Amino acid sequence: MGTAVRAGLSAEDYYAAVAPLIIRFTAGRRSAVVRGSSKASRSAVADIASAESLLELARGGWIDVMTSVSRHGLIDTLVFDVKGTSNLWLSEDSSTVFHLAIQAIRESLYFFGVRSTLAFFDGMNGFKVIAPLNGGVGREAAGIMVETTREAFERAAKKIRVLRDNVGSVTIGSNTMLKVGMLRVPLSLHWSTKMAAVPVIGCARNFSTIYADPSRVLRDLERYSEALGELGINEAPRLDSSLDKLRIIYELKTRIASNIRVECAP
């Protein structure tokens, strides 16, 4: 039966269904896999170029699939982290706060000319917003985008009550992209929680971690396949250290404060 991820569902059976979608992200990239047997020696480098190679790993208990955000020395998958404190997750405001943070990131990326993005739950305690790039950008440019977005969001948050009430409870960061350099692939299972890195379809305010249950993912797989299929490749923004970061922050602040909404779009 292999590693059980839910009653009556093995990791192998789960990955047999989602493998074609996983391979879209891992083929041609340096990847790694993780299993939750222990904190010691629980990860390994892997070449995941085919569905069968992924299934072979799943049979061995390797269930968490990570892949590189860069190729040829450039970052070609922008990744913005959205993290919330445990208190926020327990709050009635959590879904609204995450909804606003995800909107803010998308508004910022749109400002930089990056229009095709995907938001997904990371399988544990936060969300990711990713944007594939044609060619890629250097670490400095990627850092500028995240730094200015984070600062602009924090300034814009002062004008929105639900964000003021939860100041410090949500952060926008770049740890995955700039420090780890490896992204948990959408629909991959978290090594500890066994929940899926499930795409957020529609309004993030309506998202529930129930959707990350592997059995639920298989039930809704056609919808997730469509969402992943719509994720396009963006032209890489051209940024350098000579940019006036303060001016960008103020322009982003105005854009974010004007365009993000607590309510879901009709």
Side-chain angles (χ1 to χ4, degrees):
M1 185 68 175
T3 303
V5 293
R6 285 295 184 270
L9 179 65
S10 70
E12 183 179 350
D13 289 340
Y14 173 81
Y15 277 113
V18 304
L21 302 177
I22 297 282
I23 300 308
R24 293 184 191 180
F25 292 90
T26 59
R29 291 182 181 271
R30 178 175 58 89
S31 297
V33 286
V34 185
R35 61 183 173 192
S37 56
S38 69
K39 288 189 176 180
S41 187
R42 67 178 185 221
S43 63
V45 175
D47 178 15
I48 307 175
S50 67
E52 182 53 41
S53 61
L54 178 55
L55 293 181
E56 184 63 31
L57 291 164
R59 293 182 193 114
W62 303 94
I63 67 167
D64 194 331
V65 182
M66 312 286 288
T67 201
S68 177
V69 302
S70 62
R71 284 189 294 188
H72 312 302
L74 294 174
I75 294 171
D76 64 355
T77 305
L78 293 175
V79 185
F80 285 61
D81 302 317
V82 182
K83 293 292 185 184
T85 63
S86 57
N87 285 338
L88 177 62
W89 277 100
L90 295 172
S91 166
E92 293 182 354
D93 291 334
S94 61
S95 59
T96 302
V97 171
F98 288 126
H99 169 58
L100 291 167
I102 289 170
Q103 285 184 75
I105 292 169
R106 283 178 161 152
E107 287 294 333
S108 177
L109 286 170
Y110 197 92
F111 173 86
F112 289 115
V114 178
R115 303 189 177 190
S116 184
T117 65
L118 177 74
F120 62 91
F121 174 60
D122 68 6
M124 187 175 183
N125 62 358
F127 294 83
K128 302 282 187 283
V129 178
I130 66 171
L133 301 178
N134 180 22
V137 296
R139 289 176 57 85
E140 182 179 43
I144 289 172
M145 296 176 74
V146 177
E147 177 188 349
T148 54
T149 298
R150 178 174 54 239
E151 179 68 23
F153 174 67
E154 290 174 354
R155 294 183 184 214
K158 298 174 184 177
K159 297 186 176 182
I160 302 171
R161 184 199 60 76
V162 70
L163 293 178
R164 290 198 307 272
D165 291 349
N166 291 278
V167 62
S169 295
V170 63
T171 57
I172 290 173
S174 59
N175 191 57
T176 297
M177 178 170 61
L178 297 181
K179 184 177 180 181
V180 179
M182 301 286 283
L183 168 73
R184 175 167 297 109
V185 178
L187 298 183
S188 169
L189 300 175
H190 189 277
W191 67 269
S192 175
T193 66
K194 307 298 190 297
M195 290 196 291
V198 63
V200 176
I201 297 178
C203 179
R205 193 178 180 190
N206 296 329
F207 179 81
S208 168
T209 55
I210 293 172
Y211 300 148
D213 180 280
S215 299
R216 179 68 178 259
V217 170
L218 296 187
R219 193 185 83 182
D220 296 333
L221 193 56
E222 183 176 350
R223 295 172 62 223
Y224 295 130
S225 179
E226 291 175 357
L228 293 173
E230 292 171 356
L231 180 61
I233 298 177
N234 302 275
E235 289 303 315
R238 303 302 173 201
L239 304 170
D240 59 54
S241 58
S242 65
L243 292 171
D244 185 339
K245 293 181 186 178
L246 188 59
R247 180 183 64 81
I248 293 175
I249 289 169
Y250 275 104
E251 289 189 20
L252 285 177
K253 171 195 168 184
T254 300
R255 182 185 185 97
I256 290 169
S258 298
N259 293 336
I260 65 175
R261 296 287 182 273
V262 169
E263 300 80 14
C264 293

